[in-house]
Amino acid sequence: MIENKGILFVLSGPSGVGKGTVRKEIFNRKNDLKYSISATTRGMRQGEKNGIDYFFKSKDEFQTLIEENKLLEYAKYVDNYYGTPRDYVEEMLAKGHDVFLEIEVQGALQVKKNFPDGVFIFLLPPSLEELKNRIVSRGTETNELVRNRLSEAKKEIRMMDNYDYAVLNDDVNRAVENVQSIIASEHLKRERVEKEYRKILEVELP
Ligand code: 5GP
């Protein structure tokens, strides 16, 4: 049942698809979303700030977060852990705010189990058409490579099955606009606005 709470939006997709770039651009523009800052064990990159880009944690600290059930989801990605702090997300949703997560695919699947009403957006790799042509037009001498690449690409694209929307990231602006349209449309869903309409019906006729 969809209640009168905020909406959880999850942007995910294969590695290297440009999730971070799209997310940053969404937050550069006017929006009413609350961004959930993740916890990670990876080192801080130049220009990053603790508590803004991530909550940077040691492996032990991260382990404690897991044990105390403080994470909504977590995943290991390239030797580091990444996770979504549970309290912030739950508090914001309860207060009626929309929350935005930008996470990799294993984590998104975990969120889906706990928040089936969330809106799951899959960002597709850029130049899908080009990728297909490149793979198909390769010569037989690189047959194995072609097969590997094709099977990798297929695996990535199949992950899309669990999502509500698919956005092609061939152009950042277009991808951002598409994500914004999804957010706007979700707010117009009949199930979400029904309560308000019911109130109109309850008004006594003069
Ligand atoms: P980076 O190290 O480049 O900032 O992020 C690496 C990957 O981790 C990206 O695909 C990003 O979407 C993902 N990521 C960031 N935060 C989280 C999180 O809280 N949970 C999960 N599962 N993945 C995350």
Side-chain angles (χ1 to χ4, degrees):
M1 234 277 287
I2 295 176
E3 288 166 36
N4 220 354
K5 294 195 300 185
I7 306 173
L8 180 65
F9 292 97
V10 180
L11 180 71
S12 190
S15 148
V17 70
K19 299 185 285 289
T21 310
V22 169
R23 183 257 300 171
K24 280 182 192 135
E25 189 50 33
I26 288 170
F27 281 86
N28 278 342
R29 302 182 186 188
K30 192 184 165 318
N31 71 81
D32 291 323
L33 302 163
K34 299 283 176 192
Y35 177 59
S36 160
I37 301 167
S38 298
T40 184
T41 60
R42 86 144 159 73
M44 209 187 285
R45 291 184 190 137
Q46 208 180 359
E48 286 185 333
K49 289 202 177 83
N50 191 22
I52 292 187
D53 298 284
Y54 281 104
F55 296 110
F56 293 95
K57 304 281 178 194
S58 67
K59 284 232 160 79
D60 282 350
E61 287 169 336
F62 200 94
Q63 194 56 40
T64 306
L65 290 177
I66 296 172
E67 280 161 17
E68 293 181 348
N69 199 24
K70 293 261 167 62
L71 299 177
L72 202 64
E73 61 75 32
Y74 68 92
K76 194 174 185 190
Y77 177 84
V78 201
D79 283 343
N80 284 304
Y81 286 95
Y82 294 82
T84 303
R86 180 189 298 279
D87 288 356
Y88 179 80
V89 173
E90 292 184 347
E91 267 173 49
M92 288 301 135
L93 291 176
K95 284 183 180 162
H97 296 295
D98 290 348
V99 177
F100 193 94
L101 308 184
E102 178 250 298
I103 60 179
E104 53 70 62
V105 287
Q106 305 165 58
L109 290 182
Q110 292 173 50
V111 177
K112 173 120 186 169
K113 283 195 195 122
N114 294 323
F115 290 85
D117 288 344
V119 178
F120 294 80
I121 307 169
F122 190 80
L123 202 58
L124 279 163
S127 316
L128 215 52
E129 194 60 27
E130 198 186 298
L131 178 69
K132 193 178 77 189
N133 291 341
R134 226 163 41 203
I135 292 171
V136 172
S137 67
R138 289 250 173 97
T140 43
E141 70 279 10
T142 56
N143 234 345
E144 197 181 328
L145 197 71
V146 172
R147 210 176 302 127
N148 285 347
R149 286 215 48 179
L150 192 57
S151 107
E152 272 310 304
K154 276 186 176 173
K155 253 192 248 162
E156 289 189 346
I157 294 161
R158 272 201 204 103
M159 290 190 243
M160 187 166 83
D161 290 359
N162 298 293
Y163 291 72
D164 303 301
Y165 295 94
V167 172
L168 187 68
N169 189 21
D170 54 350
D171 174 274
V172 176
N173 277 329
R174 192 164 32 221
V176 168
E177 279 160 20
N178 283 333
V179 172
Q180 287 173 325
S181 304
I182 293 167
I183 294 171
S185 306
E186 282 294 326
H187 276 277
L188 301 175
K189 272 220 164 134
R190 197 253 312 141
E191 302 97 286
R192 297 196 201 276
V193 293
E194 196 162 38
K195 255 191 184 163
E196 284 303 309
Y197 288 132
R198 295 251 172 256
K199 281 186 203 154
I200 297 171
L201 296 176
E202 280 161 17
V203 173
E204 298 267 332
L205 294 175

